[in-house]
Amino acid sequence: MKIKLVFIGLLFFVATVLFAQKPDSYLGVNFTRQDSLRGSVTKERVWWDVKKYHLNLKVSPKDSAVIGSNKVTYVVLNEYSVMQIDLQEPLQITKITQNSAELDFTRDGSVYFVYLKKKQEQGAVETLTIYYQGKPKTAVRAPWDGGVVWGKDENGKSFIASSCQGIGASVWWPNKDHLYDEVESMELSINVPTDLVAVSNGRLKNKELLQDGTATYNWSIENPINNYGVNFSIGDYVSYSEQFVGEKGVLDCSYYVLKSNLTKAKNQFKDVSRMLKAFEHWFGPYPFYEDGYKLVETPFLGMEHQSAISYGNGYRNGYRGIDLSGTGWGMNFDFIIIHESAHEWFGNSITNQDRADMWIHESFASYAESLFVEYYYGKKAGCEYVIGTRQNVVNDKNVIGFYDVNNHGSGDMYFKGANMLHTLRQIVDNDKQWRTILRGLNEAFYHQTVTTKQVERYLSKAIGRNVTAVFDQYLRDVRIPVLEYKIQKNKLLYRWTNCVSGFDMPVRIFISNKGIWLKPSHNWKCKSIASEKVGIRIDNNFYISENQIRN
């Protein structure tokens, strides 16, 4: 469990109130009962802490179906007799047992309410097993829509993979489908035809050959894992491995690719060791040495499945061969390897508790791309890269979404969020301190679920300046702050406009190419300058706009 029991009690109180009072329309956005059931910590969720899953899954490529079971081990936090288990249609739970007795359950959309017979005594460790089957939702445009991709490789062999970041893990297996509570460990047993290989998270324990012409691959995960980070990939794979000597010792790196792509993979995947070296420098040790690192070819673009990164970038640099920054620097690395692997630190080790705070995953991972560039090509190159990604910001809605309804904010969480972090770096004393802050963030929240407020408080303390107004501006508002200024004789007058109340971020400008710091507020401030004719330039490392008022 990743949050303290005292906080869980608070969550229970807040969730109960919100769940009872939440209107159908929240600030003009319509949400349903299903959104609340999925997105909030309901009374049927809060009383138990999931400790371990053992998922047994038989995958049938022939009819795009699955049949399986999930053994759930949990600790009773408070006595209660109704448990919420999530599983999305068209999949169906067929049976649930505890202590050899079948349990009654009812269904409300994608939620099953399970009625327990045994008294659930506080502190007790209990198990139950959920049996299910059906045809999971087919992902049409993975990884964005989510589900299972039932594809074929160039030789006509089955090429299958799951991806469920937004839609939720319950799209293909039954579980407690909320990010606030992660299992401490997990086992996966995946059964497939013998001509295919099934890959999942963690380490392969063994492979069992069965008499019915199938094989079961048993995978074991030692570290905590979030629901959407669990994945299976199935294909006509070959594999190879190497070792990376990192900050915590030897890290096992494994690669699973289609047979026809082995040669290309051995060349393209050299970016993995480069990535690990750069990110361990910036963020600290790779978070999952016990489970190793894997890169697995999939029939979709990519996803940050923990210790089993999904890869589908076509063995080329950039994002599908395109530099998203428009600077040229993005063509020096494989975007999917770098971005998705950055999520091992931000997304998998540090996980947001509510989907509304998904920026914590995507902003840091997007910003990590520029740090990779900086590590290998210099600070100027890294700055140019992240600044270049601003061209992709649309400012359509807030980066932080609505809480308790399984809602994420704007897609600007990638590039706008990255540039917010780059802007914060500018008000830190030096690069060494910034690196210490990033590494400290990974130490403070190692293998934890977190909220925006926790990250905000950490950065405020580490930077030595309250950054709440900066978070309000870039994450809770759509406007880009404007530094408005005018020159009157030998005076520079300046102020912040187009910004939230209390926005007082310092900013660096250049007067005749000499860098100076300003501390603007909403009111006009004044600084003496040598002449009306001096050249004034705003440091473009700050993600702001400018407006010079001319007489």
Side-chain angles (χ1 to χ4, degrees):
M1 183 178 64
K2 296 225 173 169
I3 53 180
K4 294 181 179 179
L5 302 190
V6 173
F7 185 57
I8 286 185
L10 178 62
L11 277 176
F12 174 59
F13 172 76
V14 174
T16 302
V17 173
L18 288 177
F19 191 72
Q21 299 181 357
K22 190 184 302 299
D24 291 334
S25 181
Y26 181 39
L27 298 180
V29 181
N30 293 321
F31 293 108
T32 67
R33 170 176 166 79
Q34 285 296 309
D35 294 323
S36 295
L37 286 172
R38 168 69 193 287
S40 61
V41 185
T42 63
K43 64 180 182 295
E44 292 83 10
R45 281 174 166 163
V46 75
W47 66 269
W48 58 288
D49 170 31
V50 62
K51 306 298 283 188
K52 183 175 182 178
Y53 293 128
H54 186 168
L55 180 62
N56 279 277
L57 185 68
K58 182 179 180 66
V59 180
S60 176
K62 185 176 180 180
D63 54 6
S64 304
V66 299
I67 183 170
S69 65
N70 186 18
K71 182 179 180 181
V72 182
T73 302
Y74 62 95
V75 172
V76 179
L77 304 178
N78 296 287
E79 292 185 13
Y80 201 66
S81 61
V82 184
M83 173 182 287
Q84 177 176 334
I85 294 293
D86 305 284
L87 184 67
Q88 298 179 37
E89 296 177 309
L91 293 173
Q92 293 186 342
I93 291 177
T94 56
K95 182 173 67 173
I96 303 176
T97 63
Q98 186 170 56
N99 297 330
S100 301
E102 286 198 32
L103 303 178
D104 294 329
F105 55 85
T106 58
R107 182 170 196 166
D108 185 348
S110 295
V111 170
Y112 286 79
F113 294 109
V114 185
Y115 303 96
L116 304 173
K117 297 179 179 180
K118 179 182 178 181
K119 183 178 180 180
Q120 305 293 301
E121 297 183 354
Q122 187 175 19
V125 178
E126 303 287 356
T127 63
L128 59 76
T129 304
I130 307 159
Y131 299 86
Y132 77 109
Q133 64 183 28
K135 295 185 176 182
K137 176 184 176 296
T138 297
V140 178
R141 190 171 170 264
W144 296 281
D145 62 337
V148 178
V149 177
W150 303 89
K152 299 284 187 181
D153 65 19
E154 61 184 16
N155 297 315
K157 301 289 288 289
S158 292
F159 192 24
I160 306 165
S162 64
S163 179
C164 56
Q165 180 182 32
I167 198 170
S170 57
V171 75
W172 67 275
W173 61 289
N175 64 91
K176 187 180 191 178
D177 201 0
H178 194 289
L179 291 169
Y180 89 98
D181 191 9
E182 294 185 1
V183 289
E184 295 180 357
S185 62
M186 187 168 177
E187 306 284 333
L188 296 99
S189 300
I190 305 171
N191 179 264
V192 295
T194 53
D195 63 336
L196 298 173
V197 176
V199 184
S200 192
N201 315 82
R203 294 183 184 271
L204 181 65
K205 293 167 54 181
N206 57 62
K207 171 186 175 183
E208 301 175 75
L209 293 174
L210 306 181
Q211 293 182 349
D212 63 357
T214 64
T216 299
Y217 291 81
N218 296 302
W219 294 86
S220 178
I221 307 167
E222 290 189 27
N223 291 288
I225 186 168
N226 68 59
N227 291 334
Y228 83 79
V230 180
N231 155 270
F232 70 83
S233 300
I234 299 168
D236 186 20
Y237 289 128
V238 293
S239 65
Y240 68 100
S241 61
E242 62 183 0
Q243 292 184 325
F244 172 81
V245 180
E247 292 191 14
K248 288 181 66 174
V250 176
L251 173 64
D252 295 321
C253 301
S254 302
Y255 309 95
Y256 287 81
V257 300
L258 297 180
K259 289 179 179 179
S260 58
N261 291 329
L262 181 59
T263 300
K264 288 186 288 186
K266 287 186 174 181
N267 179 62
Q268 191 72 6
F269 290 178
K270 291 177 182 178
D271 264 358
V272 170
S273 60
R274 298 176 72 217
M275 172 276 299
L276 288 167
K277 187 176 181 181
F279 289 166
E280 285 207 337
H281 168 83
W282 285 110
F283 307 138
Y286 175 74
F288 307 108
Y289 270 75
E290 299 83 359
D291 291 324
Y293 173 93
K294 284 192 300 298
L295 197 58
V296 186
E297 185 173 2
T298 55
F300 56 82
L301 181 62
M303 180 55 64
E304 63 264 26
H305 299 121
Q306 184 174 308
S307 71
I309 303 298
S310 294
Y311 176 85
N313 202 36
Y315 300 96
R316 52 189 169 174
N317 282 358
Y319 175 90
R320 291 177 164 174
I322 298 172
D323 175 14
L324 293 178
S325 76
T327 64
W329 293 115
M331 298 309 297
N332 290 302
F333 61 92
D334 190 310
F335 176 92
I336 292 300
I337 294 176
I338 305 309
H339 178 89
E340 304 302 348
S341 296
H343 281 303
E344 294 282 58
W345 286 264
F346 297 98
N348 296 337
S349 179
I350 302 175
T351 306
N352 56 259
Q353 287 180 14
D354 191 293
R355 195 180 172 207
D357 289 335
M358 189 62 74
W359 77 270
I360 296 171
H361 298 200
E362 300 301 350
S363 297
F364 278 99
S366 295
Y367 179 59
E369 299 158 24
S370 69
L371 295 179
F372 175 88
V373 172
E374 177 175 338
Y375 186 83
Y376 287 103
Y377 305 104
K379 185 175 180 179
K380 182 175 181 293
C383 293
E384 289 175 354
Y385 179 90
V386 68
I387 292 169
T389 64
R390 294 175 190 169
Q391 65 183 333
N392 304 306
V393 177
V394 296
N395 286 315
D396 57 340
K397 57 183 179 179
N398 293 350
V399 169
I400 294 177
F402 296 112
Y403 291 97
D404 301 309
V405 286
N406 192 44
N407 173 261
H408 69 78
S410 170
D412 284 346
M413 69 178 76
Y414 292 84
F415 308 114
K416 184 177 182 180
N419 274 279
M420 180 194 78
L421 294 172
H422 184 65
T423 298
L424 283 174
R425 179 182 183 177
Q426 308 313 309
I427 63 175
V428 169
D429 289 341
N430 53 61
D431 294 340
K432 182 178 180 181
Q433 183 189 1
W434 183 240
R435 180 188 171 210
T436 299
I437 289 171
L438 295 175
R439 290 175 68 94
L441 189 68
N442 279 276
E443 291 176 6
F445 300 122
Y446 179 77
H447 288 183
Q448 294 182 41
T449 64
V450 301
T451 66
T452 291
K453 281 295 184 182
Q454 285 178 284
V455 176
E456 182 181 308
R457 286 194 294 266
Y458 170 85
L459 289 174
S460 292
K461 183 177 180 180
I463 292 173
R465 179 184 180 85
N466 191 325
V467 299
T468 296
V470 177
F471 273 52
D472 288 345
Q473 185 70 56
Y474 292 98
L475 303 181
R476 303 181 180 105
D477 197 281
V478 297
R479 295 170 294 172
I480 301 302
V482 175
L483 181 64
E484 189 170 79
Y485 66 95
K486 55 187 176 181
I487 299 174
Q488 293 181 349
K489 296 183 178 179
N490 290 1
K491 293 181 179 180
L492 171 66
L493 295 108
Y494 58 92
R495 68 179 180 180
W496 285 122
T497 63
N498 198 47
C499 56
V500 300
S501 176
F503 186 75
D504 61 350
M505 183 179 72
V507 63
R508 184 171 50 234
I509 69 169
F510 295 92
I511 299 179
S512 298
N513 292 322
K514 180 181 179 180
I516 65 168
W517 283 93
L518 301 179
K519 296 181 179 179
S521 66
H522 295 276
N523 300 316
W524 287 105
K525 288 188 174 183
C526 178
K527 181 176 181 60
S528 297
I529 56 177
S531 165
E532 292 184 22
K533 298 181 179 180
V534 297
I536 294 180
R537 176 170 58 87
I538 311 299
D539 187 341
N540 66 352
N541 286 295
F542 289 81
Y543 184 32
I544 62 174
S545 296
E546 63 177 290
N547 177 35
Q548 182 178 4
I549 300 174
R550 301 180 185 276
N551 295 329

